[in-house]
Amino acid sequence: MAAILVDSNVILDVVTEDQKWYEWSARQLERLAERHTLVINPIIYSEISIGFDRIEDLDQALPSDFFRRDPLPWEAGFLAGKCFVRYHHSNGGRRSPLPDFYIGSHAAIHGMALLTRDANRYKTYFPKLALISP
């Protein structure tokens, strides 16, 4: 069963019942969960945590029997740094690696597809990464 890393925007669409994206995101999660292992990492967990006051409520929204929780591999940190340097030299003004670079690197290092609805940055900096997006 292949693993798919799930970007925080897809999960947030469902948790917040986003008017525009809820249906697409919920349908993708349901469809993909039938044949794949859905994965999150600490970066994704932290992005979603912002909307919760208690860790227990966050953990209920991200049940471990639905989302496998993987650590961020060291190699992903290295790759994220390299992608950030490329981004910074081309047009970026930020001084630290963006979460998307860590997320893309994690998926790339472990050969996972990435479920996201914001594919542009991933396409630019991870051109070989398999994306599931609208």
Side-chain angles (χ1 to χ4, degrees), residues 54-129:
R54 298 175 348 114
I55 194 169
E56 294 83 2
D57 296 333
L58 174 61
D59 287 341
Q60 187 175 1
L62 300 171
S64 59
D65 61 341
F66 192 79
F67 294 104
R68 187 177 81 197
R69 296 177 182 194
D70 283 3
L72 190 65
W74 290 100
E75 298 86 353
F78 181 83
L79 180 56
K82 296 303 173 197
C83 290
F84 173 75
V85 167
R86 191 170 146 221
Y87 162 80
H88 186 69
H89 288 300
S90 67
N91 67 356
R94 297 183 189 215
R95 295 187 178 182
S96 63
L98 300 168
D100 289 349
F101 292 131
Y102 288 111
I103 292 167
S105 295
H106 185 181
I109 293 293
H110 281 272
M112 291 186 275
L114 177 64
L115 173 61
T116 183
R117 63 170 170 73
D118 184 21
N120 288 338
R121 183 172 291 142
Y122 297 113
K123 286 179 184 177
T124 300
Y125 295 97
F126 303 96
K128 295 181 181 178
L129 185 61

